[in-house]
Structures are given as C-alpha cells and as structure tokens.
Amino acid sequence: MSKSQKWIAGGMTVFMGIVLYAFFALKYPYHLHFQEQYQLFESTWSYFAKVAWLPGGLSDWMGRLVTQFFYYAPLGAFLVPVLLLGIQLLTFAIGPEKNLFSYAVSFVPSFLLAAFFCDENALVGGAVALLLALAGVALSQFVRRNGPRHILEAVLVPLLYWACGGIAVVFILVTAIREGKRPGAKAVPVLTAMVVLAVLCPLAARHIYPYPLERLAFGIHYFRYHNLVPALLWLSALSVVLAAALSSFRLFRKNWLPGLGAWVLALAFGILLVLRTADFSKEEWMRYDFMVRMEMWNRIMMSADRHNPDSPKTVSCLNLALAMTGRMPDSQFSYFQNGPEGLLPSFVGDYTNPVSTGEIYWHLGMVNTAQRYAFEAQEAIPDFQKSARCYKRLAETNIVNGDWPIARKYLRALQHARFYKKWAGETLALLDSGDIFERRPELGKARDFRLTEHDFMFSETEMDSMLGLLHVEHPSNSIALDYLMAWTLLRKDLDRFVEFISLVNAPVMPKAYQEALLLRWVHTHEDFNGLPPYLSPVFAQRITRFIADYQARKPEAQMRKEYGDTYWFYYYYRYRS
C-alpha cells in the first residue's frame, strides 16, 4: 500500500475501535458485568492445568483471563475492541495481497464477532481461539524455505488443536490457500498430511477426554450452552478464510476508492448486524441486577423515574430499592406493577433468575433461602464454571448461619480471584479475630433478622405467613413488613391486608395503604360516614371521582393519566390473578 493508503487504513482501524468501545462502554456494559460474575478465574497453576488440559483449553483459559477484567465495564469495553482489532489486523496480515480493498474486507470477521459478543452466552475463548489460529498462520509465514515450513505447519496442526479446539481448522484452510499460491511449492502432500492430522486430532481426543466427538470437533468452550454450535463464531472463522482467498487476487491494487467503498459497506453491515443482534431488554434487566448487586438503591430510583421498568425482573429490582429506601408504602404504585412476580419472582431452575431473586431474600433476612438460590444458580451454569458472585454470597450466608468452615472454603477460593481477594482476605482475618459481625454490619444485620425460633418449609404459596413471621420475630425488620403488605396488595387480597394493617406503626398512614383501605371501605360501606381519622378526606374525594369515572367507562389511557399513580388503577386495570 502507498503511504496515503496506510493512513486511510489506520484511520479505519482507529474509527472501528472507537465505535466498538462506545457501544460496549455506553450501550452494552452490563453484558460485560454479566459475563464476569459467572466465572471464578483463579490465579493458580492448578486452575490453569484444570482448564488448559482440554482441547481448546488454552484459548478458554486466556478468554477467562480477559473476562475477569469485565468486573470494570470500561476496562472490558476497551479489551473487547483490542481483541477484535487484533483479529482484523492478523486477517489482513496473512493475506498475500496488501491493498486497501483487502484491508476493508479484513474487518468482516471482527464485525461478526462483535455481533457474537452481543449474546450473553458467547464466551471470549472463542475469539481468542480464532486469534491464536491466525497467529499460527502468521508464524508459518516467517519460514521461507519449503521443507522447514512444511514441518512447522504439520507440527502446528495438533498444537493449535490443543490450544484452539475446532477453530484450528482456520489455520489449515488458510494455509491451503497460501500454499496453493506459492510458486514451485508441492502443496498437495503437505495439505493431505495436515488434513489427516486434523481428522486424527478429535478422534484421538475422544479416547482421552470424556466428551462426544462432535463437541471435540466443534469446540468445548466457545459457547455457554454446549449443545449449541455458535453460528456467528463459525461464520467469522469462515469469513477469515474467504478474506484470505479474496486477498489472493490482485484486485484494486492502486485505486483506493473501491477499498474505501468496501469498508463503508462492511461498517454499515457490521453496525446493522450488531444492533439487530443486541438484546437491549436483557441489557436493561442486567443493569438493574448490577445496581442491586452493588446496592445502588438511589440510582435504581433515578433510573425508574427516567424510564418506568415493566418486566417482572426489573420491577422486582425496583421494588427492592423502594423497600431499602423506605419508599415502598408511599410510592410503590407510582410505578408500573405486574403482580406478585414483580415483587418476589417464582423460582426458575436456571443460572440467572435465582441470583437476582436471591438478593431479595438476602435483604429480607431469609438467609437459608438466599443460600439455596445461590447454590442452585451456580449448579445450573451450563458450562459448569463456578460463579464469583455466588461464591461470595455462599460465603456470607454460611458465616451468618455459623458454618464458618464451609465459609472458609469459599473465601479461600475467592482469595485467588483478582477483584475479590481483598474482600476475601479481610473476611478471613475477621473470622479469625472473631469480630466479623461488628466489622461487617451487613452480616450482623442478616444474622439478627434471620428466623431462629420458627422452623418451616419454604413455600411460595404461603409467602405472607413467612413474611409475617419475619416481622413478628424481629419488629425492626421494616423491609419484611413492607413486603408483607405489598404481597397482599399485589395479590388484591384486601381481607388479608386489613388483617395485617395493625402491624403498621406510622405517624401518618402511607399513601398506598390509605388507598387500599378506602377501596375496601367502598366495597363494604354505603358512604363515608364513620371513616377512620387516619384516612384522609382528600383521598376519599379522589376515590369518589375514580369510581364515577370507572363506572362511566372512560378509556384506560385517560384513567391512567389521571389515576395511574394509585392502587385503584392497579386493582382494576393491571394484574389478573
């Protein structure tokens, strides 16, 4: 390429890096946090040996090494473009023709990988495997003499299979293209030997590793669900081969306009593909879940004020923030509510739902339930990794329950994790000194709120009884009381709500409770004569207008505009039990 074309090519790469960083840092950062919390990368030789001994294990270990830095989303958003741009530059470097058109084509694999990373189950090890396979091609290019180069290529096939897994086929295909274009090279015997080695590698691995042949051929740790073949990853690998083949033709060697046009088309294709693949509804839930994990209660409230969440997962996070800030009795129905599932979601036996739901039970004081949810979530992780987030919660619940030897097991593992070792080391020291509950008030609070005088089987259908026990045994547990009252309101069980209203001890009856009591009064009385003094006449006048408008069958949109912040609107227009 000419000097001006090199400047244009450099500008393309820098622009792509900025776009990718902006996307993952500003629009998709919580997918990075999500990836980090479902692994526990330990900086030990035993961990390395356990991961790296499998086919593709080296790339998997390197992918996990990178993923641990997703704990800080801005750093993760920087590392992802670095990885993708490394693949782009190597894709260009292995092509025989160096012009602006082939440089533009070299972006296609990276755009496909960017779309691949939009899936929360896509593992970084797949992209690392492709990078290593391309590095193998680049390495073989440095050997000019045919004999030594052929020996190196033959040796690299099993080595890359061990390091990359099935993606090592990219090395064979690209090498076939390059050897076929070399003048005087006897490519057929070499390529035949490479293909035979490529076939023998998974066949031999089947007798060593306890995995099916198809997984040994298509990769073990490219995707969280092992029974699925990641199409975008393999399309990216195929596009690398096609880019190398296309670069073999001497197209547009001097004219830079076709290359620039090809890059604009590739960029447009990449942006459209990424935006179409990205799941922003999951990103929204992951954002709320992250804020719950970090106990950013006020930030949750500000987010809900800007955009009212409407899925059960996000609403459950909002309701927890309302309870933790003491705003639930007054403000709960100022936000969208979708029934009891938005308060305490039902147990789902996967690796995501129990984690966020377990946070609610932890703050309620239901320590055993929080422990069970964390354990169940970790055991359900599809690729059988351990979870740093779950390990931390399991350590905390075992400390609160007095099972300190078990807690130490989790803490010792966390001591080898870069972003958890400080917390784990300090916690172990506090356990040794015996003042853990004084120095960690959140653990002391959980110990004080947990049930000790009652033994019961956890039942989602008897949640009101369990929440009632939590509050009766520990009257200072205001969160349990808020959840008890909210549970009856969201189920539209006004009779049970009235039974529990005597537990509320507030100088002024909260807004939602007044609205619920007035609604029941309307259901059981002819007029407002004898209305208790703790029920405001202002609310009584408003419910009178609401009933008149409801009976007049005003449109729901108009009713939402006038009464959308009331329990009455929820009762008549929302959740259907």
Side-chain angles (χ1 to χ4, degrees):
M1 289 193 295
S2 64
K3 186 175 181 179
S4 60
Q5 288 182 337
K6 289 180 180 179
W7 276 102
I8 295 173
M12 292 177 179
T13 299
V14 171
F15 182 79
M16 177 187 171
I18 293 173
V19 169
L20 287 173
Y21 178 82
F23 175 76
F24 284 104
L26 302 178
K27 300 295 292 183
Y28 228 58
Y30 298 100
H31 268 70
L32 302 179
H33 288 301
F34 180 89
Q35 286 279 16
E36 181 276 332
Q37 70 183 13
Y38 286 105
Q39 71 164 35
L40 178 61
F41 183 86
E42 299 180 51
S43 302
T44 62
W45 282 108
S46 60
Y47 180 82
F48 172 80
K50 181 178 68 174
V51 176
W53 83 289
L54 295 170
L58 181 61
S59 62
D60 182 33
W61 182 85
M62 294 174 67
R64 297 184 190 192
L65 174 67
V66 172
T67 302
Q68 70 173 329
F69 294 102
F70 292 1
Y71 187 89
Y72 294 110
L75 180 56
F78 172 78
L79 292 175
V80 170
V82 168
L83 177 60
L84 298 185
L85 290 177
I87 291 172
Q88 178 261 317
L89 292 173
L90 279 175
T91 301
F92 173 71
I94 63 175
E97 282 295 316
K98 301 296 186 289
N99 54 59
L100 205 57
F101 181 79
S102 61
Y103 196 86
V105 173
S106 68
F107 282 91
V108 174
S110 296
F111 283 130
L112 288 166
L113 282 175
F116 174 61
F117 282 145
C118 289
D119 190 328
E120 70 275 11
N121 295 306
L123 301 178
V124 178
V128 174
L130 183 56
L131 183 70
L132 291 178
L134 291 173
V137 177
L139 177 63
S140 66
Q141 290 180 2
F142 285 105
V143 182
R144 298 298 182 183
R145 295 177 58 188
N146 289 337
R149 186 180 67 254
H150 294 162
I151 294 173
L152 176 62
E153 290 167 347
V155 170
L156 282 176
V157 171
L159 287 179
L160 286 174
Y161 175 75
W162 168 75
C164 310
I167 289 291
V169 72
V170 171
F171 169 77
I172 298 172
L173 296 176
V174 174
T175 300
I177 294 171
R178 292 190 61 85
E179 289 294 337
K181 300 296 289 186
R182 290 181 185 273
K186 298 179 180 179
V188 175
V190 178
L191 296 178
T192 302
M194 292 174 65
V195 170
V196 170
L197 285 171
V199 173
L200 288 177
C201 282
L203 290 175
R206 185 177 59 173
H207 297 286
I208 303 173
Y209 305 100
Y211 290 95
L213 180 61
E214 58 270 19
R215 282 186 59 190
L216 292 170
F218 287 99
I220 298 174
H221 290 298
Y222 299 153
F223 199 69
R224 204 180 304 277
Y225 287 94
H226 292 160
N227 58 328
L228 299 177
V229 176
L232 282 172
L233 174 63
W234 283 98
L235 282 174
S236 178
L238 178 62
S239 67
V240 168
V241 179
L242 293 177
L246 191 61
S247 178
S248 299
F249 300 98
R250 298 184 176 184
L251 301 173
F252 314 117
R253 298 188 67 184
K254 297 182 179 179
N255 193 341
W256 57 271
L257 285 175
L260 188 60
W263 180 75
V264 171
L265 290 176
L267 180 65
F269 162 77
I271 292 175
L272 290 174
L273 180 64
V274 167
L275 293 178
R276 185 173 180 83
T277 308
D279 192 332
F280 292 106
S281 62
K282 287 184 178 178
E283 175 70 10
E284 178 76 354
W285 165 68
M286 291 174 187
R287 181 166 69 93
Y288 272 87
D289 179 59
F290 173 79
M291 290 187 289
V292 166
R293 179 187 179 186
M294 298 301 176
E295 300 186 4
M296 299 175 176
W297 311 122
N298 290 326
R299 185 172 168 183
I300 292 176
M301 303 306 307
M302 289 188 291
S303 297
D305 289 336
R306 289 193 298 268
H307 176 71
N308 206 340
D310 56 5
S311 70
K313 291 181 178 180
T314 53
V315 171
S316 68
C317 296
L318 168 61
N319 281 327
L320 179 58
L322 284 168
M324 296 300 293
T325 55
R327 296 175 56 183
M328 180 178 278
D330 281 310
S331 304
Q332 182 175 20
F333 294 97
S334 298
Y335 301 93
F336 176 84
Q337 297 293 331
N338 47 12
E341 281 295 307
L343 186 73
L344 288 166
S346 300
F347 177 79
V348 179
D350 63 11
Y351 73 102
T352 59
N353 289 278
V355 173
S356 55
T357 306
E359 294 281 352
I360 302 172
Y361 289 114
W362 169 256
H363 290 287
L364 280 170
M366 300 177 72
V367 176
N368 289 336
T369 303
Q371 180 172 291
R372 179 171 68 90
Y373 274 46
F375 184 83
E376 294 286 350
Q378 181 167 258
E379 293 304 303
I381 297 176
D383 59 338
F384 311 113
Q385 292 199 55
K386 301 302 179 183
S387 163
R389 181 177 179 180
C390 290
Y391 258 46
K392 184 178 180 182
R393 176 64 76 226
L394 289 168
E396 292 171 329
T397 56
N398 279 284
I399 290 172
V400 171
N401 283 333
D403 298 323
W404 289 9
I406 299 176
R408 290 178 190 276
K409 179 189 72 171
Y410 294 116
L411 291 170
R412 281 193 290 268
L414 289 171
Q415 276 190 302
H416 299 296
R418 180 180 299 273
F419 298 108
Y420 299 88
K421 62 182 179 181
K422 181 180 179 181
W423 177 87
E426 292 174 350
T427 305
L428 279 170
L430 292 174
L431 285 177
D432 294 334
S433 64
D435 57 352
I436 180 73
F437 296 112
E438 290 75 18
R439 300 287 296 276
R440 292 284 168 80
E442 70 278 8
L443 299 181
K445 180 181 177 181
R447 180 195 58 177
D448 295 340
F449 281 174
R450 70 190 183 101
L451 289 172
T452 56
E453 298 182 4
H454 298 85
D455 189 18
F456 60 86
M457 292 293 291
F458 178 84
S459 172
E460 292 181 345
T461 60
E462 299 179 4
M463 191 62 67
D464 51 353
S465 298
M466 292 184 292
L467 292 170
L469 280 176
L470 278 173
H471 179 69
V472 169
E473 187 167 317
H474 301 287
S476 60
N477 190 348
S478 59
I479 300 172
L481 178 60
D482 289 346
Y483 266 76
L484 171 63
M485 306 306 288
W487 179 260
T488 58
L489 291 178
L490 291 171
R491 290 173 62 88
K492 303 182 181 180
D493 190 349
L494 294 180
D495 292 333
R496 293 285 282 173
F497 173 78
V498 171
E499 289 181 26
F500 296 134
I501 197 64
S502 61
L503 298 173
V504 178
N505 184 19
V508 178
M509 187 65 68
K511 173 179 177 292
Y513 298 173
Q514 290 202 50
E515 292 170 347
L517 290 170
L518 281 167
L519 183 60
R520 189 173 186 275
W521 184 277
V522 168
H523 288 171
T524 56
H525 294 76
E526 295 290 337
D527 52 40
F528 291 114
N529 291 330
L531 194 69
Y534 52 79
L535 297 180
S536 169
V538 175
F539 287 120
Q541 293 173 7
R542 194 179 185 196
I543 195 174
T544 301
R545 295 195 304 271
F546 174 85
I547 293 171
D549 291 343
Y550 180 77
Q551 292 176 343
R553 299 184 182 276
K554 284 190 175 182
E556 182 178 335
Q558 185 176 348
M559 296 292 286
R560 181 188 300 109
K561 183 178 180 180
E562 297 183 21
Y563 308 103
D565 64 335
T566 67
Y567 177 67
W568 315 318
F569 183 82
Y570 170 83
Y571 189 91
Y572 286 103
Y573 291 97
R574 288 302 184 199
Y575 167 73
R576 300 289 187 267
S577 59

